[in-house]
Amino acid sequence: MRKTLLLAAVAAMALGAGPALAKKQLVIVVKGLDNPFFEAIHQGCEKWNKENASSEYECFYTGPASTSDEAGEAQIVQDMLSKPDTVAMAISPSNAPLIAQTIKSANPSIPIMTVDADLTKEDAALRKTYLGTDNYLMGKKIGEYIKKAKPNGGTICTIEGNPAADNILRRAQGMRDALTGKEGLAALAGEGGWTEVAGCPVFTNDDGAKGVQAMTDILAANPKLDAFGIMGGWPLFGAPQPYRDLFKPMADKIAKNDFVIGAADTIGDEVAIAKEGLVTALVGQRPFEMGYKAPSVMLDLIGNKKVDDPVFTGLDECTKETADTCIQK
């Protein structure tokens, strides 16, 4: 009997040790799990796990179900920061001020970084580094493509995502600066020949179908509109068929640069849409690379190693002519 009790006690101790043997979590919190862009970040995170299967650390990917759930993302950040096995965190803030306030309230002792989207300049000290796209440069390149197609300017509508997403705001600023040759204009009213039409920018909360509907409405209200600047590829990768249905009748105008569309991202159907001639140019990010690199950067931060701020990933530029070769392999 005594031997049986001893064996039972040993087994119980082994079971009780299970949680203590759990891996330390390098947490990535994204804006929403419903977005293919963030799924690419997830795949990068999983590749890191596969290559580091024997590590005491694990890349853990999470976020709210919907990209539009700003409060949900903030709650997940708060919850994950309260877990003892969370040892570092990379956040893609949907609402930068809200996430900043969440970090301030939690006052974490672990290193925090941002990925894909950054905090505002005023709150940048709350994180150690930013890993992702140079969003201002991305927007500037979109603007350069639009300006090259229509050097004399025209009317334009900007399609944006969440109103408080710092990465999207930086892209829009880069585009405006490229179009006008001036810096810092919040809206265009003839500068460089460009005017933003009434009702724009349109904020779609990263919803593809909402983006296509917004462009449909803007075109109906402004039949002589010259261009769209789309700061995220949501309408193209989130609602590819409605997007095609809207712009197929305008394919000849797009081919002749009578109508111009510069858009962000190169995921989902976007490159195929470029090959079909239904967008003038795409400037794409590298989300897989972000997800793959984030755990290593977090480990460097944990180890108090020097980490550059920012750490930029590259850009891919695609047009109808380059669609077959434009994506980094």
Side-chain angles (χ1 to χ4, degrees):
M1 175 65 74
R2 183 176 295 176
K3 184 177 181 181
T4 302
L5 291 173
L6 180 61
L7 289 172
V10 170
M13 289 175 64
L15 289 171
L21 297 174
K23 292 193 174 189
K24 299 173 184 177
Q25 303 292 297
L26 306 170
V27 177
I28 299 178
V29 183
V30 298
K31 298 177 184 179
L33 304 182
D34 58 342
N35 189 322
F37 180 90
F38 296 119
E39 178 55 26
I41 289 180
H42 183 201
Q43 294 305 313
C45 169
E46 288 303 317
K47 181 184 179 184
W48 188 92
N49 282 336
K50 186 176 180 180
E51 292 181 356
N52 296 274
S54 62
S55 172
E56 64 179 310
Y57 297 92
E58 178 181 49
C59 181
F60 182 80
Y61 170 88
T62 187
S66 171
T67 310
S68 62
D69 188 2
E70 298 175 356
E73 184 188 26
Q75 185 63 55
I76 289 171
V77 168
Q78 182 176 316
D79 292 346
M80 295 306 297
L81 286 175
S82 71
K83 293 182 179 297
D85 53 357
T86 299
V87 294
M89 184 178 289
I91 310 169
S92 174
S94 179
N95 182 319
L98 176 60
I99 294 298
Q101 186 55 53
T102 303
I103 296 170
K104 290 175 186 176
S105 298
N107 191 26
S109 58
I110 64 170
I112 303 293
M113 61 178 283
T114 50
V115 60
D116 164 57
D118 203 0
L119 300 176
T120 64
K121 292 179 180 179
E122 293 76 14
D123 292 320
L126 294 171
R127 90 295 186 269
K128 299 294 186 181
T129 189
Y130 161 74
L131 166 68
T133 303
D134 183 337
N135 285 292
Y136 177 83
L137 177 63
M138 183 183 191
K140 192 170 184 180
K141 285 183 176 291
I142 291 171
E144 287 170 350
Y145 275 108
I146 296 172
K147 186 175 182 179
K148 181 179 179 181
K150 281 200 148 327
N152 296 323
T155 53
I156 188 169
C157 181
T158 308
I159 306 298
E160 302 188 30
N162 293 316
D166 182 75
N167 59 334
I168 303 302
L169 297 176
R170 292 190 190 198
R171 291 177 204 169
Q173 193 61 64
M175 185 195 73
R176 292 186 181 103
D177 291 359
L179 289 176
T180 63
K182 299 180 180 180
E183 294 186 357
L185 293 171
L188 306 184
E191 297 87 354
W194 288 98
T195 299
E196 292 182 75
V197 299
C200 296
V202 177
F203 294 97
T204 66
N205 289 319
D206 297 8
D207 186 313
K210 188 175 180 180
V212 174
Q213 185 58 57
M215 290 190 290
T216 301
D217 295 342
I218 290 294
L219 284 169
N222 302 272
K224 294 184 179 180
L225 187 75
D226 293 299
F228 278 117
I230 307 175
M231 298 300 102
W234 322 288
L236 292 84
F237 66 67
Q241 195 53 52
Y243 179 92
R244 286 181 169 103
D245 293 342
L246 177 60
F247 289 108
K248 273 184 180 178
M250 301 176 66
D252 287 344
K253 292 183 68 176
I254 296 170
K256 296 175 183 176
N257 289 333
D258 290 335
F259 192 83
V260 183
I261 307 172
D265 299 324
T266 51
I267 59 178
D269 276 15
E270 286 195 82
V271 176
I273 287 171
K275 197 171 182 178
E276 294 162 23
L278 300 182
V279 64
T280 306
L282 301 171
V283 180
Q285 307 174 81
R286 295 175 181 168
F288 182 90
E289 185 178 343
M290 296 177 201
Y292 180 65
K293 284 187 173 180
S296 296
V297 175
M298 284 189 270
L299 285 178
D300 285 345
L301 293 173
I302 290 170
N304 292 316
K305 295 181 180 178
K306 186 180 185 306
V307 174
D308 291 336
D309 180 21
V311 179
F312 284 139
T313 48
L315 294 168
D316 296 314
E317 301 177 37
C318 300
T319 64
K320 182 178 181 179
E321 293 72 27
T322 65
D324 289 330
T325 58
C326 63
I327 303 298
Q328 180 199 46
K329 303 299 181 183

